[in-house]
Amino acid sequence: MKIVRYLRVAVESILANKLRASLTMLGIIIGVAAVLTTMGIGSGAAANITNQVQSQGTNLLTVNAGGSNGFGGGGGSSVTTLTMDDAAALADQQTHPDIAVVVPDYTAQATLTNAGQSTNSQVVGTLPDYATVRNLTIAEGSFFTSDEVTNSTAVIVLGATVASDLFPNADALNQTVRVNDQPFQVVGILQSTGGAGFGSNDQRGFVPLSVAQGRLFNAPRYRGVYTISSMSIQVKDASQMDLVQQQIEQTLRLRHGLNPTDNNDFTIFNQASLLQVAGTIAQTLTVFLGSIGAVSLLVGGIGIMNIMLVSVTERTREIGLRKAIGAHDNDILLQFVIEALVLCTLGGVIGMGMSYGIGYLVEKIPNFPFPVVIQPAALLLALGVSSACGLVFGFYPALRATRLDPIEALRYE
């Protein structure tokens, strides 16, 4: 019953000093909004990374040319030992029955131009199965066919960003673009994935493997066979990923004539492991961003303590009068703690609303790569922390109020 009575007193005191209460809450409002927004950005980045990895399937292995210190696909300027014969050996169902599909690719940087528009992008020479293995979605047209690979037809599939860059005012489908000054017909445009940076399919072009290795990039040969940048390997059963990875490593080491003490001249990436690593990194990012925002919340709490100390000084006569008519120290303590709690809780609620507004504005930034995801758990945490700030930072001013001598307090001017 006392709590309800002092809650009413706290509200009356806040309404009587609206400007001071607003300035007091401002620190908590900014702190809660900062924590939720930064955590929302971290969660959005985490979800974006996870979705991009999951979109390519968790039963995918990628073999890149070069050892653990190299990532391959660097434009074919140096000869690698990963070849088309390696891909054929791994695709052999008699020796590798757990492998469903092996898709080799040769990747290099190229300049794509059209009517004065130009962009420098990765161009991936590959096979039609690449679209299936990598879960590429065609927005317009289609992916190139096996016949076009066999006949070395000059066709290209553009990522959404590349298509919009080269054809800002027209539909790119069935148009002609020049790749390193060679004409290619656009037969398909990928649906935008929203990804950004190196490796995003939105910023790539895809051509038949035979075209990329032959006249477009003049891929080097190793032991008389065309080299490749990497292989995308789809495993039939996701539970066999580790076993298949070991088998692939053994096969490639034997084919490349590596001694037991030699390092691999290739790198195998496990998509499931990559998802786990990406999740860990994203979680760390979220905690880091949340910690930065928590600093402003701490500053807001200190502001609450400062204003409450001033409030105690201003209301010395009121405290003396309450004590003179029989109020106990616990009553005074409860009154000021509840007032601080109301201020912080109300500031927390306003900060929660502000965080949604900031998140909305951030998402409106052009080319912002992911949404701001404010989790319900983060809302509860922010509200709980803001309320805890009221208890922690309001306790000392309240305790100081209880130590006032009623006679001296009544004499205070």
Side-chain angles (χ1 to χ4, degrees):
M1 199 63 188
K2 281 186 178 181
I3 294 178
V4 176
R5 184 169 67 252
Y6 286 129
L7 182 61
R8 185 173 65 253
V9 173
V11 173
E12 291 173 354
S13 176
I14 292 171
L15 293 176
N17 301 276
K18 297 184 181 66
L19 180 59
R20 184 178 68 186
S22 299
L23 293 175
T24 303
M25 289 188 295
L26 189 59
I28 295 296
I29 292 172
I30 294 174
V32 169
V35 169
L36 289 177
T37 303
T38 52
M39 291 185 68
I41 291 174
S43 297
N48 184 60
I49 293 171
T50 302
N51 289 338
Q52 286 196 30
V53 175
Q54 287 181 334
S55 67
Q56 297 182 5
T58 55
N59 61 335
L60 183 66
L61 293 171
T62 303
V63 182
N64 285 345
S68 57
N69 293 325
F71 296 93
S77 59
S78 61
V79 176
T80 67
T81 57
L82 202 61
T83 67
M84 292 292 292
D85 282 352
D86 291 331
L90 295 177
D92 187 348
Q93 287 294 296
Q94 293 185 348
T95 55
H96 295 282
D98 294 320
I99 293 178
V101 183
V102 177
V103 184
D105 68 75
Y106 187 85
T107 303
Q109 291 293 125
T111 301
L112 282 69
T113 57
N114 170 63
Q117 304 294 330
S118 176
T119 182
N120 191 267
S121 304
Q122 275 192 340
V123 174
V124 181
T126 186
L127 303 178
D129 285 337
Y130 188 93
T132 303
V133 171
R134 292 286 182 170
N135 289 334
L136 302 184
T137 302
I138 301 294
E140 296 182 61
S142 61
F143 212 73
F144 48 79
T145 64
S146 298
D147 288 340
E148 289 170 327
V149 174
T150 302
N151 298 326
S152 297
T153 309
V155 293
I156 187 170
V157 176
L158 298 179
T161 302
V162 177
S164 62
D165 288 344
L166 295 178
F167 298 89
N169 301 315
D171 189 355
L173 189 64
N174 296 323
Q175 300 295 322
T176 299
V177 298
R178 301 189 74 84
V179 183
N180 288 350
D181 287 331
Q182 297 187 39
F184 280 74
Q185 182 184 9
V186 179
V187 294
I189 301 171
L190 296 182
Q191 182 175 323
S192 175
T193 60
F198 179 80
S200 170
N201 288 323
D202 289 350
Q203 299 175 353
R204 286 176 166 174
F206 300 86
V207 300
L209 180 59
S210 56
V211 176
Q213 291 175 320
R215 67 174 182 269
L216 188 56
F217 298 124
N218 191 23
R221 297 173 184 265
Y222 180 73
R223 294 177 180 173
V225 182
Y226 271 130
T227 58
I228 57 177
S229 301
S230 64
M231 291 181 281
S232 299
I233 300 174
Q234 191 175 62
V235 181
K236 292 180 180 179
D237 188 350
S239 64
Q240 301 296 316
M241 292 285 286
D242 292 337
L243 176 61
V244 173
Q245 182 173 343
Q246 293 175 5
Q247 293 174 347
I248 292 172
E249 183 176 8
Q250 291 172 358
T251 298
L252 292 180
R253 286 185 65 87
L254 287 172
R255 287 187 54 79
H256 295 180
L258 299 178
N259 295 320
T261 57
D262 292 338
N263 293 326
N264 291 339
D265 56 358
F266 55 89
T267 308
I268 303 177
F269 288 98
N270 188 321
Q271 198 78 355
S273 300
L274 183 60
L275 179 62
Q276 184 177 0
V277 172
T280 302
I281 294 174
Q283 185 177 7
T284 303
L285 175 64
T286 302
V287 173
F288 174 72
L289 291 175
S291 300
I292 294 175
V295 173
S296 59
L297 191 58
L298 177 63
V299 173
I302 295 173
I304 289 283
M305 179 184 289
N306 185 39
I307 297 298
M308 290 300 297
L309 285 171
V310 173
S311 178
V312 168
T313 303
E314 287 182 349
R315 297 161 66 183
T316 300
R317 286 180 60 82
E318 176 190 335
I319 295 169
L321 182 60
R322 286 180 179 274
K323 284 193 169 188
I325 62 177
H328 296 289
D329 287 349
N330 289 339
D331 296 320
I332 302 298
L333 182 70
L334 189 61
Q335 175 188 344
F336 281 91
V337 167
I338 288 179
E339 186 171 329
L341 186 61
V342 169
L343 282 171
C344 288
T345 303
L346 183 58
V349 172
I350 296 174
M352 289 162 59
M354 183 179 291
S355 68
Y356 278 99
I358 295 174
Y360 175 79
L361 293 177
V362 168
E363 291 180 15
K364 293 299 180 181
I365 297 175
N367 299 322
F368 196 74
F370 49 81
V372 178
V373 181
I374 299 177
Q375 304 283 358
L379 293 174
L380 294 176
L381 178 63
L383 186 60
V385 170
S386 62
S387 300
C389 283
L391 292 174
V392 172
F393 293 103
F395 183 78
Y396 175 70
L399 186 63
R400 184 173 176 179
T402 64
R403 293 175 178 173
L404 291 176
D405 183 87
I407 298 177
E408 295 297 328
L410 287 172
R411 289 177 180 173
Y412 183 82
E413 293 295 339

